[in-house]
Amino acid sequence: MPPADSLGAPFEGFQPPIVTMESLEPVMPVIILFVAGIIAFLFEMVQRKRSNTGAIAVSLLGLAYAAAAIAKQFDTEDVEALFSMAMRDRFGLVLQLIIVGSTFTALLFSEGYLRQKRINYGELYPLSLWAAAGAMVMVTTTNLLMIFLGLEVLSISLYVLAGLSRSESKSEESALKYFLLGAFASAFLLYGMALFYGATYSLDLRTVTAALAQDESVTRGILIAGLGLSIIGLGFKSGLFPFHQWTPDVYQGAPTSVTAFMAAVSKIAAIGVLYRVLDACSAVSDIWMPTMFWIAILTMTVGNLVALVQRDVKRVLAYSSIAHAGYLLVAVLAHARKPEEIGFGSTAFYLLAYSVMTVGAFAVISLVAKDGKEGTRVQDLNGLWKRSPGLAVALVIFMISLIGVPGTAGFIGKLQIFQDAVDAGLTPLAIVLGVNSLLSIAYYLRIAQAAFVTEEIEESAPVAQPTTGLSVATFLCAASVVLVFVFVSPISYMINGAGDEGKIVSPEHRKAPIRPSGFQE
């Protein structure tokens, strides 16, 4: 318990700070998206149900404005805002930019898909903006309460989005499964955070780091228990084994544009928070590292092996996303093993590569929806080459990038993770990553091959004409897959910054004493 005489002391003579535009700058991108979501929601209320033009325009403009606000902060110093509940650092800015870009691309092709599926609910646009804002909150704070609030904003929005196709039982089922399992996982995470607070009387992860450095057995035991519960909650959101069971059913049942958004944004947020939590608890890495080591191996292997036997393309990509969560966990563990030498560069770079190739793949798959029907079997892509040759080529680019073929963003991302794992002394993880990449060739090439099969076109699902938004979104993703490989050096420089070692918790915070007070300055 904190000292009784300290509970009320911080509030004596307390003067609330003056809020200025300068003090709000670190959180301005989040504010922009929340406001844009409100305006888009108002447009959705007043405009005709047959047209979501106003909501789309507001959403895309809001995302562009938020991206500009993020880019403006890249050359500024790391700062904290709102009583240290929000922070601006290179890691958070990079992840925020990826979140905004993924959301922008997913919304570009959403309207054409929704019309073909006859889903006349424009709520998708404000909900997507609010979900993105929640994800951005999660990756730009070390405050446990803010992490949880951001998680709930993201999750609640995704629960609704997953069930947006109300006329389909599988969409309703996916939303219900996601809600029930998500609430269960959130309870684990919240309990873990409660143990963190109980041991340190603080809501900041950096205080957890300082507490572990003092090596008090009781405090350490409580913090380790809190870490274990937090890993369960974040493992669910990341799609790590054995918390991945929800992924294929939700990905298959949700509308494809929602699946694309969920696959990218939710994973970025969860991996970003997991990175910060494990970094804060690096002092006890000898305890949790063996468990996370095997979770990484099982996540990569189970994801790829089960994907081999799937026949629904959305389920294939769902298990693929599980495997990629394992790849990302390898990057996180490499940093945890040698935090002073290995930064966040490979994690952020692979999240960028994963986002563009995954959103792009789902954008192409959304084309197999017409007149209220949607075929998601692999053979439903048959004949895509004859109907939309450009999109067929783009699909091949996404598949070979997901494999990790040289010349693509996926290759550079996997190579960086492989090198980090070897440098950190995690060579077995690097080998498993390479073997699993070879396993994935079978199902990725099966999807790419389907687009060029013409003998069974009459048995495949009808394919809609690509809209302008779909064509632009696919082109942006395909071009990004190639350009990220070509301009890997400047992009890596942008991610890491000049002389930035990528440490999430600085050495001075690691050695800072615990201040047992419920009030954060």
Side-chain angles (χ1 to χ4, degrees), residues 4-237:
D5 58 355
S6 71
L7 292 176
F11 296 97
E12 296 179 0
F14 172 71
Q15 295 294 327
I18 299 175
V19 178
T20 63
M21 291 301 296
E22 184 178 355
S23 65
L24 288 177
E25 186 181 13
V27 296
M28 189 56 65
V30 176
I31 294 174
I32 290 171
L33 286 195
F34 272 119
V35 173
I38 294 172
I39 298 174
F41 184 70
L42 294 176
F43 267 99
E44 194 279 331
M45 291 175 61
V46 301
Q47 68 190 2
R48 295 182 298 112
K49 293 299 181 183
R50 293 181 177 274
S51 174
N52 293 314
T53 305
I56 296 170
V58 170
S59 300
L60 295 181
L61 287 174
L63 288 164
Y65 191 23
I70 297 170
K72 180 182 177 182
Q73 301 181 45
F74 264 87
D75 293 330
T76 57
E77 296 180 353
D78 296 352
V79 298
E80 297 179 352
L82 304 178
F83 292 95
S84 299
M85 290 188 295
M87 63 187 301
R88 178 179 66 203
D89 61 355
R90 177 74 62 164
F91 182 67
L93 289 174
V94 170
L95 296 195
Q96 278 193 333
L97 200 57
I98 301 173
I99 290 169
V100 169
S102 300
T103 306
F104 186 92
T105 311
L107 293 188
L108 269 180
F109 72 88
S110 292
E111 185 62 15
Y113 171 80
L114 294 179
R115 291 305 164 200
Q116 291 295 341
K117 283 279 290 182
R118 296 174 181 170
I119 302 175
N120 298 320
Y121 303 113
E123 292 89 347
L124 177 140
Y125 302 100
L127 286 172
S128 296
L129 293 182
W130 294 331
M136 291 166 67
V137 169
M138 292 174 65
V139 300
T140 52
T141 184
T142 56
N143 185 281
L144 297 173
L145 179 60
M146 294 305 296
I147 290 174
F148 188 75
L149 288 176
L151 174 66
E152 289 306 294
V153 172
L154 169 66
S155 299
I156 293 173
S157 300
L158 289 178
Y159 299 153
V160 179
L161 289 172
L164 207 60
S165 183
R166 300 178 189 176
S167 61
E168 295 182 331
S169 59
K170 65 178 182 180
S171 181
E172 294 179 342
E173 180 185 349
S174 70
L176 183 60
K177 285 182 178 179
Y178 195 24
F179 169 70
L180 293 176
L181 293 175
F184 193 61
S186 295
F188 276 98
L189 179 60
L190 187 60
Y191 196 4
M193 291 178 173
L195 291 179
F196 282 154
Y197 179 80
T200 64
Y201 310 119
S202 172
L203 291 172
D204 200 295
L205 281 173
R206 292 168 296 187
T207 311
V208 173
T209 303
L212 289 171
Q214 292 187 1
D215 199 22
E216 296 180 4
S217 58
V218 176
T219 300
R220 176 178 286 238
I222 296 174
L223 291 175
I224 292 173
L227 174 62
L229 293 171
S230 299
I231 288 175
I232 292 174
L234 294 173
F236 172 87
K237 298 299 180 181

